Amino acid sequence: MKPNRILLACVAAALLLTNTLTFATARPPYLNRSLPVDRRVDDLMSRMTVDEKVGQLNQLFYFSQFMKPEMMEPGLREGKIGSLLFMTDPATINRFQKIAVEQSRLKIPILFGFDVIHGFHTIFPVPLALASSWDTNLVERVQTVAAREASAAGIRWTFAPMLDIARDPRWGRIVEGAGEDPFLGARIAAAQVRGFQGSDPASPGRLLACMKHFAGYGAAAGGRDYDGAYISDAELYNVYLPPFKAAVDAGVGSAMSAYMDLNDVPATGSAFLLRDVLRTQWGFKGFVVSDANAVGNLVTHGFAEDKSDAAARALTAGVDMEMSLPIDPVSGAYSSSLAKHLQEGRVTKAQLDEAVRRVLEAKFKAGLFENPYADESRVASIHNDPDHRRLARIAAQRSAVLLRNEGNLLPLDTKFSSVAVIGPLADSKRDIRGSWSFADDIKSAVTVLEGIRAKVRPGVKVEYAPGVDIARAYPSIFETFFGRRPAAWGEAQRREEFDKAVALARSSDLIVMVLGQHEEMSGEAASQSSIELPGRQRELLESISALGKPVVLVLINGRPLDISWAVTRVPAILEAWHPGTEGGNAIADLLWGDATPGGKLPVTWPRSAGQIPIYYARNLTQEPETKQGFTSRYWDIPTSPLYPFGYGLSYTTFTYSNLRVSKPTAKLGEPVEVSVDVENTGRRSGEEVAQLYIHQRSGSASRPVRELKGFERVALAPGEKKTVRFTLGKPELTYWSAASKGWVQDPATFDVWVGGDSTATLQTKFQITR
Ligand code: BGC
């Protein structure tokens, strides 16, 4: 070959090689959407350095309020960050994503997460309220809309549903869950997962869900947030875990490890929870993220020696990704020490790869490699979709619980020509929404005062007075981020406002009092020793009730409160919880009869904090106190709650009859069908939640006096009667027995009650035999 030919051949070969390389770099198999996820993950992992792998396990907060994008950008470019949370602005999300996808070596997209708990732009009722609807279809629709709004902004992962069973209203986070009951909690859990993820979290408008806080967080000692929990195995399996199991069965994509110690082992370092239960017993395939700083916090527990030890112990226990709030991207426990552990053999390659694989799998399955960006041009139209507001109003109507309605004061008569709307929460846009409302347009929230003004007929005078002011003893962490409350009133203003409110009430025909708690009085880091109405609210209620005028009390709050004074003096009480953006309209609809209350309490309502913990599914270890003898549990107050679990009134009445079982005796494992007729015996249409409770009379362990095992919310026109059917199969009749240390179904006699709350009296029974 002539030298110039040789040169030409070399050039051609070099070009070919470059082309091949370029092609290989531009389109490696992991970027080929038509390949199965496993292959893509294998291919990607084969290209990753240890630092890039550790980077995928590193999740950081980004607070636009006090951080600058420049703080994050180098870490994104270098592949040191796998996920970011707390961002809500689509432009910044896209800006960061572009760096990861175009400028990082392997172009791995960032998974953006946020606490989409009860809405994003449109705020729905808080989770405790949604659970009060006992309407799983509604809950699913709500979370579908929440997912649609959040994903429009570029968020692809929500830290919800929160599935902690809570039996202590002092614990502020009771507001974030579905209340005290494992059966109701499990149904609501599955509905939320379906709502967020749909059948595929990668489909447009859906999010990856994250069940939290795994597990036992709601049993915090003394109701103090973050405190340790001691839960027996029986209570764990029978009470605290069922909602999580239901979420896993519904296909939830991720889980968050809880902050606290469970029986002396931090949940974030618990191989029992994260491996034995989650993976081995339940076959969970998603990934686990720690709660914020929970890995580093293992040192605080007196568990890990230092941050580096914490990283090794969390990873080997089964925490795949660390959520942390570091100063720079490499100061988290994982990012600062996993590479070293790998080198020194404290963590194996297999252990590291297992975690990385799960995170990457989630990113592929969420469709992030194909659709990494938010479509900024569509955000506003999705957020302002009027259907979302309509659903928010319906959700708030359906979540309210009517606690009292003496003399059928509600729905309100149109004869009232002047209405006094009184109370510190009556015109508060902030408090109508509830905790975890960070991304909405607060101005568009409708207060109770605004809802009432829009509702009354022309000519009716509606006037407002706050009457009292309320405040936490010290500000909440969220207040420091999202705006302090105005300073408390001075003594002179206090007296003046109080008197003004009483005078306004005196000159009005009807008084609607809106009392309760600020949104930051419940939620995270918002536990409370007392459950009294804060401030001078009760005093105001007493003074106004003394006027002898019709008074309706509307409660805006995130936990049951001590209202024992009110329940014998105030004729009408509506628990609205924090009802969300459309709350004021929904409350007015309910008060004036354009909607009928049908919600039921998902928690037992105590008379006072002294009864806590109080829940209906307790074991009866002594004769009931209705009998004479050594039976009284307290001598100063009754043992019974103020309102039982499942309780709630309507504007109509319902009667239950004809309770029957398909067979009086069934063999172990065979299902029993139960049916009952529910009739609307009043003069208005309404909805009733028919609830089925069982009691197992004997067995290998003591069983609760009652356990919810079925419910259905039924709509009935006046005079209409419907038959409601339930199935009691093996899952409903099986429990984890402390005596045999495992799941059992005992041959036994079972009592069955069906009715409108957990004190239902219509009863039958059946027997399970060998
Ligand atoms: C909370 C979690 C939340 C996380 C991220 C933590 O403080 O416990 O529930 O998802 O912060 O915001």
Side-chain angles (χ1 to χ4, degrees):
M1 231 189 267
K2 287 191 182 154
N4 56 345
R5 289 253 175 106
I6 295 174
L7 189 68
L8 266 178
C10 286
V11 171
L15 273 174
L16 185 69
L17 187 67
T18 323
N19 271 351
T20 321
L21 282 177
T22 314
F23 179 73
T25 340
R27 216 178 145 62
Y30 75 88
L31 291 181
N32 180 349
R33 66 186 329 162
S34 60
L35 291 177
V37 167
D38 269 3
R39 273 240 11 233
R40 298 177 73 180
V41 176
D42 287 344
D43 176 59
L44 177 53
M45 285 183 59
S46 72
R47 296 163 193 268
M48 292 171 83
T49 64
V50 169
D51 285 347
E52 283 165 339
K53 286 181 180 175
V54 173
Q56 287 306 305
L57 309 184
N58 185 25
Q59 184 192 44
L60 302 179
F61 279 86
Y62 179 80
F63 294 109
S64 56
Q65 290 84 351
F66 52 81
M67 288 165 89
K68 294 262 165 292
E70 296 72 34
M71 290 168 75
M72 285 294 146
E73 289 173 354
L76 293 166
R77 212 165 278 126
E78 290 156 24
K80 288 185 173 153
I81 301 169
S83 173
L84 286 170
L85 78 153
F86 243 81
M87 298 178 59
T88 54
D89 168 36
T92 322
I93 287 178
N94 280 347
R95 168 176 167 164
F96 284 179
Q97 190 68 296
K98 202 164 155 54
I99 294 174
V101 167
E102 293 184 7
Q103 297 173 27
S104 76
R105 194 178 75 90
L106 292 169
K107 311 183 177 341
I108 307 174
I110 299 294
L111 181 57
F112 291 95
F114 187 67
D115 293 275
V116 186
I117 308 295
H118 54 111
F120 185 71
H121 180 78
T122 309
I123 301 296
F124 293 96
V126 289
L128 190 64
L130 285 171
S132 306
S133 74
W134 296 58
D135 181 348
T136 51
N137 180 38
L138 173 80
V139 171
E140 184 177 338
R141 280 162 62 213
V142 159
Q143 297 304 31
T144 303
V145 168
R148 183 167 186 250
E149 291 189 355
S151 63
I155 290 156
R156 306 297 282 271
W157 183 22
T158 172
F159 305 113
M162 190 278 211
L163 305 180
D164 298 310
I165 294 292
R167 297 180 157 189
D168 187 337
R170 292 172 303 179
W171 190 52
R173 302 197 81 169
I174 192 172
V175 66
E176 295 176 51
E180 76 182 41
D181 187 68
F183 186 86
L184 177 62
R187 291 286 184 88
I188 303 271
Q192 295 198 68
V193 173
R194 289 195 301 271
F196 288 127
Q197 297 191 163
S199 54
D200 177 4
S203 52
R206 298 295 180 167
L207 297 174
L208 187 69
C210 180
M211 60 177 194
K212 70 185 188 186
H213 306 82
F214 197 65
Y217 184 35
R224 290 177 294 270
D225 207 359
Y226 316 120
D227 260 21
Y230 286 94
I231 308 177
S232 70
D233 281 352
E235 205 180 10
L236 192 64
Y237 283 114
N238 292 325
V239 178
Y240 287 90
L241 292 182
F244 291 97
K245 174 67 165 55
V248 170
D249 291 345
V252 71
S254 68
M256 184 185 291
S257 67
Y259 277 129
M260 46 15 104
D261 280 341
L262 172 63
N263 303 329
D264 288 344
V265 180
T268 297
S270 169
F272 162 70
L273 283 173
L274 301 175
R275 292 198 185 271
D276 302 353
V277 174
L278 198 55
R279 307 273 174 201
T280 312
Q281 294 178 24
W282 296 354
F284 175 64
K285 297 277 184 287
F287 72 101
V288 175
V289 64
S290 74
D291 203 338
N293 291 340
V295 176
N297 213 25
L298 294 179
V299 181
T300 316
H301 289 244
F303 182 74
E305 196 183 333
D306 52 26
K307 199 159 85 174
S308 162
D309 184 36
R313 293 177 74 175
L315 185 87
T316 51
V319 174
D320 302 310
M321 183 186 274
E322 181 195 12
M323 179 190 290
S324 62
L325 185 63
I327 318 305
D328 66 68
V330 289
S331 65
Y334 276 19
S335 48
S336 60
S337 42
L338 282 185
K340 177 177 71 78
H341 286 316
L342 187 71
Q343 215 172 21
E344 292 169 358
R346 172 103 197 257
V347 163
T348 64
K349 177 169 180 298
Q351 285 169 328
L352 178 69
D353 282 0
E354 183 189 38
V356 177
R357 169 172 295 276
R358 289 191 190 121
V359 170
L360 292 176
E361 241 168 40
K363 290 190 174 185
F364 281 112
K365 286 190 182 153
L368 266 182
F369 283 81
E370 285 69 46
N371 298 304
Y373 299 112
D375 180 351
E376 291 174 51
S377 68
R378 296 188 61 224
V379 179
S381 66
I382 291 177
H383 285 181
N384 298 313
D385 184 336
D387 280 348
H388 297 185
R389 295 289 293 225
R390 272 193 281 276
L391 182 63
R393 188 161 178 166
I394 291 169
Q397 293 167 352
R398 296 178 74 78
S399 300
V401 183
L402 182 63
L403 296 176
R404 185 170 151 89
N405 194 16
E406 282 306 292
N408 292 326
L409 174 59
L410 297 178
L412 292 167
D413 216 302
T414 44
K415 72 171 192 260
F416 298 115
S417 58
S418 58
V419 185
V421 182
I422 292 175
L425 301 165
D427 197 28
S428 167
K429 288 185 181 288
R430 184 158 167 178
D431 298 302
I432 204 83
R433 299 138 67 241
S435 119
W436 294 111
S437 308
F438 293 133
D440 61 323
D441 168 19
I442 189 168
K443 292 188 297 303
S444 73
V446 182
T447 68
V448 181
L449 177 66
E450 290 168 330
I452 292 178
R453 286 215 161 112
K455 175 65 64 182
V456 294
R457 65 181 157 75
V460 175
K461 202 160 83 181
V462 178
E463 281 179 283
Y464 160 65
V468 299
D469 68 340
I470 58 175
R472 276 177 52 138
Y474 58 91
S476 105
I477 176 86
F478 296 113
E479 267 181 276
T480 52
F481 282 130
F482 303 103
R484 287 278 175 90
R485 299 271 177 185
W489 295 344
E491 207 31 60
Q493 188 179 5
R494 258 191 199 137
R495 267 197 305 270
E496 194 185 314
E497 294 287 353
F498 195 100
D499 293 348
K500 247 199 250 174
V502 176
L504 172 63
R506 190 174 284 119
S507 65
S508 307
D509 295 345
L510 167 75
I511 298 126
V512 177
M513 298 216 47
V514 187
L515 307 181
Q517 296 202 323
H518 282 161
E519 50 121 358
E520 72 274 9
M521 287 176 172
S522 60
E524 185 171 356
S527 292
Q528 210 187 334
S529 68
S530 129
I531 55 166
E532 308 252 326
L533 282 165
R536 292 172 68 196
Q537 294 184 95
R538 171 166 156 190
E539 215 182 313
L540 183 66
L541 184 62
E542 286 182 21
S543 305
I544 287 178
S545 297
L547 301 174
K549 306 246 169 160
V551 177
V552 178
L553 170 60
V554 174
L555 293 167
I556 302 286
N557 51 323
R559 57 157 62 83
L561 293 169
D562 182 347
I563 50 163
S564 35
W565 184 89
V567 302
T568 51
R569 280 99 161 177
V570 179
I573 306 177
L574 181 72
E575 173 56 84
W577 308 111
H578 295 284
T581 308
E582 279 288 326
N585 285 331
I587 290 167
D589 292 338
L590 289 160
L591 298 185
W592 269 267
D594 291 331
T596 299
K600 301 274 189 173
L601 294 175
V603 281
T604 301
W605 194 295
R607 292 172 192 274
S608 69
Q611 288 187 315
I612 298 169
I614 184 169
Y615 46 90
Y616 81 93
R618 68 193 218 281
N619 290 1
L620 186 67
T621 55
Q622 171 73 299
E623 292 288 294
E625 65 183 357
T626 43
K627 296 208 174 160
Q628 289 294 307
F630 290 99
T631 57
S632 63
R633 306 298 199 264
Y634 297 120
W635 60 255
D636 56 344
I637 53 166
T639 311
S640 61
L642 194 60
Y643 292 112
F645 174 83
Y647 173 85
L649 302 170
S650 169
Y651 294 153
T652 184
T653 48
F654 302 98
T655 314
Y656 290 80
S657 63
N658 203 14
L659 177 62
R660 56 226 180 259
V661 288
S662 55
K663 44 190 159 207
T665 310
K667 290 247 175 286
L668 280 172
E670 254 176 34
V672 174
E673 309 291 330
V674 179
S675 54
V676 74
D677 296 342
V678 191
E679 186 178 355
N680 181 345
T681 44
R683 284 199 299 271
R684 299 176 67 95
S685 290
E687 295 191 15
E688 167 73 334
V689 182
Q691 302 159 42
L692 178 147
Y693 295 87
I694 62 165
H695 168 59
Q696 180 178 330
R697 288 193 190 169
S698 62
S700 74
S702 307
R703 302 303 301 137
V705 279
R706 287 189 185 199
E707 291 176 280
L708 180 74
K709 293 294 176 182
F711 64 88
E712 191 179 325
R713 185 162 170 156
V714 229
L716 292 165
E720 192 184 2
K721 189 195 273 189
K722 277 186 189 159
T723 302
V724 181
R725 289 170 220 284
F726 306 94
T727 302
L728 293 173
K730 193 163 181 220
E732 287 77 25
L733 303 178
T734 299
Y735 65 98
W736 201 95
S737 165
S740 46
K741 301 218 176 317
W743 294 99
V744 296
Q745 186 185 359
D746 294 323
T749 300
F750 287 83
D751 296 300
V752 179
W753 296 265
V754 179
D757 65 50
S758 58
T759 64
T761 50
L762 187 63
Q763 184 180 5
T764 184
K765 64 178 187 205
F766 64 87
Q767 214 182 352
I768 295 288
T769 59
R770 280 191 201 286

